Amino acid sequence: MASSDDHLKVDVYYNGAFVPKSLLYFDPDITMISGVDLRELDFEAFIELLSKVTRMSCVDVYFCLPDKSLGEGIHSLYNDGDYKEFLEMGYNNGKRMKVYVDQYNEPIFDWFEADDGEEEGTEDLDCEEDEDSVFSDAESVDHEEDVELDANNHTTTDQFLNILCPSAPLNEDKHDDLPQYPIHNDKQA
């Protein structure tokens, strides 16, 4: 039996979302698989282990070397051939790998093709700034004059309001009848 130092350590990123531009995995939960000889597992057993560790279904799984960005080094992990490549790359590169679980089934390899198409087409475009896209504080804005509102204009003849608010007379001086208590008493010791 091999010691745990001989085992591949796998950082598992899950419950996050892939972001297309510069390919990032946003807001993930992270756990680690270590102390397991992954060479003894086949692809399906590894996916089952991932499902137990993440407590979620692991259908779209990807891997990447720790020293590579996702955009440069992402690989799919869909079958036994991909799993063998994953193990070989992991054991040949410091016995450490990153695995990403995509629960949203994002078409991340299609994003690469879309990015390649955008880069080819941008060479022919003029790089002049669009005047409408630049914010300018030189524009003047006409404001309407303030209108004073009569705050004492209470509707007392509206039948609907009278049903909602039964005939309680408006007494603006009713606060004057309440007793006043001093906040500070100079006679207190």
Side-chain angles (χ1 to χ4, degrees):
M1 181 165 189
S3 71
S4 64
D5 292 338
D6 293 336
H7 296 160
L8 185 64
K9 293 181 180 176
V10 180
D11 296 320
V12 181
Y13 296 79
Y14 64 102
N15 274 343
F18 282 104
V19 179
K21 292 295 177 186
S22 69
L23 195 61
L24 300 171
Y25 195 69
F26 182 71
D27 196 27
D29 292 334
I30 304 170
T31 190
M32 180 186 279
I33 297 174
S34 62
V36 177
D37 190 359
L38 298 178
R39 293 174 289 199
E40 293 179 5
L41 303 177
D42 63 355
F43 170 72
E44 284 143 9
F46 177 70
I47 295 298
E48 187 177 315
L49 176 64
L50 273 179
S51 296
K52 287 179 183 177
V53 167
T54 62
R55 290 185 223 115
M56 60 188 299
S57 174
C58 299
V59 177
D60 290 333
V61 179
Y62 303 94
F63 68 92
C64 187
L65 291 171
D67 59 343
K68 297 271 188 179
S69 70
L70 277 175
E72 295 173 354
I74 193 162
H75 298 272
S76 59
L77 191 53
Y78 288 124
N79 56 36
D80 284 320
D82 294 338
Y83 184 65
K84 288 176 185 175
E85 180 184 11
F86 162 76
L87 291 174
E88 182 180 319
M89 289 175 73
Y91 280 102
N92 291 334
N93 291 291
K95 298 180 185 161
R96 187 125 193 161
M97 289 295 277
K98 292 182 179 180
V99 169
Y100 299 87
V101 178
D102 180 21
Q103 70 269 15
Y104 298 111
N105 304 323
E106 296 289 351
I108 62 172
F109 291 111
D110 292 345
W111 292 342
F112 289 126
E113 293 172 12
D115 286 343
D116 291 341
E118 287 176 11
E119 290 174 6
E120 292 171 2
T122 56
E123 295 171 0
D124 299 331
L125 296 176
D126 268 339
C127 292
E128 294 179 20
E129 284 190 72
D130 183 12
E131 290 178 15
D132 294 333
S133 68
V134 178
F135 181 73
S136 171
D137 11 344
E139 295 182 32
S140 65
V141 179
D142 294 330
H143 293 283
E144 295 180 8
E145 290 185 31
D146 291 336
V147 178
E148 287 193 32
L149 298 175
D150 181 16
N152 292 327
N153 184 8
H154 301 285
T155 307
T156 57
T157 58
D158 188 332
Q159 292 178 351
F160 180 72
L161 289 177
N162 286 334
I163 291 171
L164 289 176
C165 304
S167 60
L170 292 176
N171 183 4
E172 294 181 12
D173 297 330
K174 77 177 187 180
H175 295 292
D176 293 338
D177 297 342
L178 297 175
Q180 300 262 337
Y181 297 104
I183 296 174
H184 176 72
N185 188 347
D186 293 333
K187 295 179 185 176
Q188 287 182 340

